[in-house]
């Protein structure tokens, strides 16, 4: 399979700040690739390096095998859906969508026809004459999507495109985006700080931390087998066990991760502690136990008894649920 | 739990006044708006109406007394060649000054809005505002010296053997003069200098409101710098450009000092008004002259509106 985007030890330093620091990355053609990380981790800068709004201070970026180090954004065959959508307020929706075709010199009738086609694809056929200010957040998001897709880019870049939408709309858009990507067979590169979004939408994802990639792999790899404590904590909201605790629970003296849904409360066990906090989630209750100073979260399914705050309880898990992460 | 009361006692008249305004928001609005409305409505609009009224009177050619009867005769006088020349010259000068100001102001405003940060931004504001702090007359007389034959420009041209450029410019029909300070070209240069800040500031304010992501989106969609300028930056900055041009255009239309001091003493609207209401005592014709810039500005704004200049507001 061809690589749509390749990073060869790419860095982007802003003075002393290493926003992106020696990143190696390969994004397969036709995949839905997510870049996940907390704010300031370098994921957005990586996206801007692909679109050309940032120049690398070191390394090489290739798009479909071609070195784009000296290619300005307007000559790169990639398009971006911006976080704030960046729709042109003085143009109506149709002209916004047709903008890329207009600057390439396509005639008025033809580009408007193409824009209408694309608006139909995102289910906004009747909205061509409106101004962006007259649309809701979800509709603007679709216009931004249509405006990018109408240019038939080789790679579509999405910068936290769902961040401004409410939960219900966000979930609907996640499904739509995923379906659209499958249908078009296009490479999507998606930046998000929402681990659920990344896990549920991506074919593969890179977890960023402090300008570096902490782990890269399929959602299952990353969720089940986090490579570092950071990944375990950030992606799965997993319990991270220090070596002492792992040994006390019958494992080797290594750092380990344990998912809350694989942890259950039990009357007896090698380690017990008081219940520190309870959080009702609807589908269950998250019980946090203070185990020798380490917080261990267990997920109690709905319908099962939940201990009161302050009572002491032990916990248990299948030995295979414990994922070891080395001694460092 | 604390036992403090749910309603706090009023601490003084300020608290009670605030409470009154909260209960009757329109009272505050009325208090705030009455003085400016009195000023605008009575003093300003009133005198404007008086001006309009005067322009429909005429002057008795024998006695020189104003006849207070409605007539369009005074307006017809504006169309006499000697008067119409004044209108044409003033409007052309105002248009040329506005275009030159826009062209000079844009790069400065663009830099200030997009790139200048911190100290550089402060330096920008200072640089633009500083000339406004010194007397207008001082600046105009300074320019008279700069543009004079023995002035610094003439001296520099002589030293670099480029006097022929100035001589060439001064031999263009309509720009003739013995030096820049006695040529309409000099009048134009001083107008541009004096009104430039009034173009830069509104332009900079409107460019500041164009988010960076808008420019990135344009480039992302394949637009070159020139295309982005024409299709995104200019339409979004147009309200500011129009605001600036209203200043430069109307200020040039009404000015009567610069053309008196610099240039070939050809009459401009402002000078005509000054002479007609003073020495000539022809108030109706002075009023008719004064109405012209108002009409021109109204037409200009109507055209700008038609062209969609205010769509991005």
């Amino acid at each position: 399979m061809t690589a749509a985007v390749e990073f060869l030890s790419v860095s982007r330093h802003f003075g002393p700040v290493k926003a992106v620091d020696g990143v190696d990355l390969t994004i397969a053609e036709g995949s839905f690739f997510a870049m996940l990380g907390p704010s300031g981790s370098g994921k957005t800068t990586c996206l801007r390096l692909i679109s050309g709004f940032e120049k690398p201070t070191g390394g090489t970026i290739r798009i479909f095998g071609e070195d784009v180090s000296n290619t300005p954004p307007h000559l790169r065959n990639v398009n971006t859906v911006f976080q704030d959508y960046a729709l042109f307020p003085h143009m109506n929706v149709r002209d916004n969508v047709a903008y890329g075709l207009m600057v390439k010199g396509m005639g008025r009738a033809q580009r408007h026809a193409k824009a209408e086609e694309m608006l139909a694809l995102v289910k906004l056929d009747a909205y061509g004459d409106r101004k962006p200010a007259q649309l809701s957040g979800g509709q603007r998001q679709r216009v931004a999507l249509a405006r990018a897709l109408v240019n038939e880019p080789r790679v579509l870049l999405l910068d936290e495109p769902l961040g401004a939408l409410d939960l219900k709309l966000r979930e609907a858009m996640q499904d739509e985006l995923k379906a659209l990507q499958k249908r078009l067979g296009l490479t999507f590169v998606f930046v998000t700080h929402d681990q659920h979004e990344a896990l549920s939408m991506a074919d593969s994802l890179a977890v960023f931390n402090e300008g570096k990639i902490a782990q890269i792999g399929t959602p299952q790899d990353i969720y089940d087998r986090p490579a570092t404590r950071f990944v375990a904590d950030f992606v799965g909201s997993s319990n991270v066990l220090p070596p002492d605790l792992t040994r006390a629970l019958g494992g080797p003296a290594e750092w380990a991760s344990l998912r809350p849904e694989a942890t259950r409360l039990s009357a007896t066990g090698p380690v017990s502690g008081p219940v520190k906090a309870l959080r009702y989630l609807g589908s269950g209750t998250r019980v946090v136990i203070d185990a020798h100073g380490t917080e261990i979260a267990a997920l109690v399914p709905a319908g099962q008894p939940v201990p009161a705050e302050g009572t002491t309880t032990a916990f248990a898990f299948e030995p295979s649920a414990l994922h070891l992460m080395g001694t460092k | 739990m604390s036992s403090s009361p749910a309603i706090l006692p009023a601490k003084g008249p300020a608290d009670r006044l605030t409470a009154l305004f909260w209960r009757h928001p329109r009272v505050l609005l009325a208090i705030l708006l009455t003085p400016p409305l009195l000023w605008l409505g009575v003093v300003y609009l009133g005198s404007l109406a008086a001006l309009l009224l005067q322009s429909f009177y005429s002057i008795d050619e024998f006695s020189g007394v104003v006849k207070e009867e409605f007539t369009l005769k005074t307006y017809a006088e504006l169309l006499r060649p000697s008067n119409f020349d004044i209108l044409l010259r003033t409007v052309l000068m105002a248009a040329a000054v506005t275009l030159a100001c826009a062209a000079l102001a844009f790069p400065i405003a663009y830099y200030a809005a997009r790139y200048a940060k911190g100290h550089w931004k402060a330096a920008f504001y200072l640089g633009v505002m500083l000339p406004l702090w010194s007397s207008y007359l001082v600046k105009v007389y300074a320019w008279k010296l700069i543009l004079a034959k023995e002035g610094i420009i003439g001296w520099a041209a002589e030293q670099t053997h480029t006097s022929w450029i100035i001589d060439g410019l001064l031999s263009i029909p309509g720009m003739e003069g013995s030096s820049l300070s006695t040529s309409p070209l000099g009048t134009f240069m001083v107008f541009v200098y004096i009104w430039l800040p009034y173009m830069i500031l509104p332009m900079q304010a409107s460019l500041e409101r164009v988010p960076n992501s808008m420019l990135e989106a344009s480039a992302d969609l394949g637009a070159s710098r020139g295309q982005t300028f024409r299709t995104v930056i200019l339409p979004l900055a147009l309200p500011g450009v129009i605001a600036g041009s209203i200043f430069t255009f109307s200020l040039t239309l009404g000015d009567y000092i610069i053309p008196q001091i610099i240039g070939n003493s050809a009459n401009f609207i402002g000078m005509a008004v000054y002479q007609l209401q003073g020495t000539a005592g022809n108030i109706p014709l002075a009023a008719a002259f004064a109405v012209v810039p108002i009409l021109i500005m109204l037409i200009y704004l109507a055209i700008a509106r038609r062209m969609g200049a205010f769509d991005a507001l």
Side-chain angles (χ1 to χ4, degrees), chain A residues 155-166:
Chain A
V155 181
L156 184 74
L157 309 172
L158 303 109
D159 185 7
E160 307 232 9
L162 308 178
L165 306 181
D166 62 61

Side-chain angles (χ1 to χ4, degrees), chain A residues 30-320:
Chain A
S31 67
F32 199 121
F33 190 88
M35 296 186 182
L36 176 66
S39 53
S41 60
K43 57 191 194 304
T44 297
T45 308
C46 272
L47 199 78
R48 293 171 61 82
L49 284 163
I50 303 174
S51 58
F53 299 131
E54 297 290 348
K55 275 189 200 167
T57 42
T60 308
I61 300 169
R62 293 202 189 116
I63 299 177
F64 284 92
E66 287 186 76
D67 186 348
V68 294
S69 302
N70 286 312
T71 311
H74 72 289
L75 298 179
R76 297 188 187 197
N77 199 1
V78 301
N79 286 117
T80 308
V81 176
F82 288 84
Q83 188 171 13
D84 62 356
Y85 314 139
L87 300 178
F88 303 124
H90 57 297
M91 296 179 196
N92 66 23
V93 165
R94 187 181 305 109
D95 284 328
N96 259 287
V97 175
Y99 187 80
L101 304 175
M102 182 196 73
V103 297
K104 285 182 193 79
M106 188 184 281
R108 195 183 172 80
Q110 202 186 348
R111 67 175 191 256
H112 278 178
K114 283 219 167 205
E116 286 297 344
E117 231 172 80
M118 208 39 80
L119 282 171
L121 185 76
V122 296
K123 297 176 201 143
L124 281 178
D125 343 28
Y127 290 79
D129 289 322
R130 298 220 193 162
K131 286 281 177 76
Q134 296 168 296
L135 303 181
S136 70
Q139 289 167 335
R140 280 181 221 181
Q141 148 86 72
R142 286 157 199 261
V143 175
L145 194 62
R147 185 176 71 170
L149 287 174
V150 79
N151 304 292
E152 298 173 9
R154 297 294 302 268
V155 181
L156 184 74
L157 309 172
L158 303 109
D159 185 7
E160 307 232 9
L162 308 178
L165 306 181
D166 62 61
L167 183 67
K168 191 106 182 139
L169 198 54
R170 190 155 68 219
E171 285 176 347
M173 277 309 289
Q174 285 176 2
D175 293 342
E176 263 183 61
L177 270 182
K178 186 74 192 158
L180 198 64
Q181 189 263 339
K182 276 218 178 96
R183 213 170 109 196
L184 300 172
L186 202 62
T187 312
F188 275 36
V189 181
F190 189 99
V191 160
T192 180
H193 63 263
D194 181 334
Q195 51 276 50
H196 301 294
E197 201 164 278
L199 291 172
S200 64
M201 295 176 78
D203 300 323
S204 58
L205 63 139
V207 183
F208 281 78
N209 185 30
E210 293 176 351
K212 291 185 163 71
I213 292 184
Q215 191 175 0
I216 192 163
T218 65
Q220 288 79 12
D221 283 342
I222 286 178
Y223 194 76
D224 292 338
R225 290 174 291 280
T228 67
R229 275 181 276 155
F230 171 80
V231 176
D233 186 44
F234 186 76
V235 176
S237 12
S238 278
N239 298 310
V240 176
L241 317 182
D244 297 351
L245 190 61
T246 312
R247 201 177 43 206
L249 287 165
E254 277 185 40
W255 287 92
S257 78
L258 179 64
R259 285 184 280 124
E261 59 272 29
T263 313
R264 59 179 192 276
L265 302 179
S266 65
T268 55
V271 177
S272 62
V275 174
K276 250 180 96 177
L278 297 170
R279 201 198 307 168
Y280 181 64
L281 300 172
S283 56
T285 304
R286 194 180 155 93
V287 179
V288 179
I289 304 156
D290 184 356
H292 306 327
T294 302
E295 288 189 358
I296 298 294
L299 199 68
V300 177
Q304 288 185 21
V306 175
E309 232 172 276
T311 52
T312 298
T313 181
F315 58 95
F317 48 87
E318 294 299 320
S320 62

Side-chain angles (χ1 to χ4, degrees), chain B residues 108-159:
Chain B
I108 301 172
Y110 188 81
Y111 165 78
R114 296 240 84 85
Y115 298 105
K117 297 250 154 44
H119 288 308
W120 285 111
K121 195 138 212 164
F124 158 79
Y125 279 117
L126 208 62
V128 173
M129 307 282 267
L130 205 57
L132 296 177
W133 298 352
S134 59
S135 156
Y136 164 91
L137 270 180
V138 168
K139 287 184 287 184
V140 175
Y141 276 109
W143 270 97
K144 192 171 178 65
L145 293 179
I146 292 170
L147 295 175
K149 206 164 190 72
E150 307 79 17
I152 188 162
I153 292 181
W155 175 81
E158 213 163 280
Q159 296 300 311

Side-chain angles (χ1 to χ4, degrees), chain B residues 2 30 74 104 112 114 123 146 151 155 178 180 206 219 225 232 248 252 263-264 271 296:
Chain B
S2 84
T74 313
L104 282 175
R114 296 240 84 85
I146 292 170
W155 175 81
S178 58
L180 281 172
S206 71
R225 283 288 168 99
V232 179
T248 57
T252 312
N264 55 6
M271 290 159 78
I296 292 172

Side-chain angles (χ1 to χ4, degrees), chain B residues 93-103 199 244-246 248-250 252 300:
Chain B
M93 177 61 83
V97 167
T98 300
L99 286 176
C101 280
M199 181 65 96
S245 67
I246 290 170
T248 57
F249 200 73
S250 60
T252 312
Y300 176 67

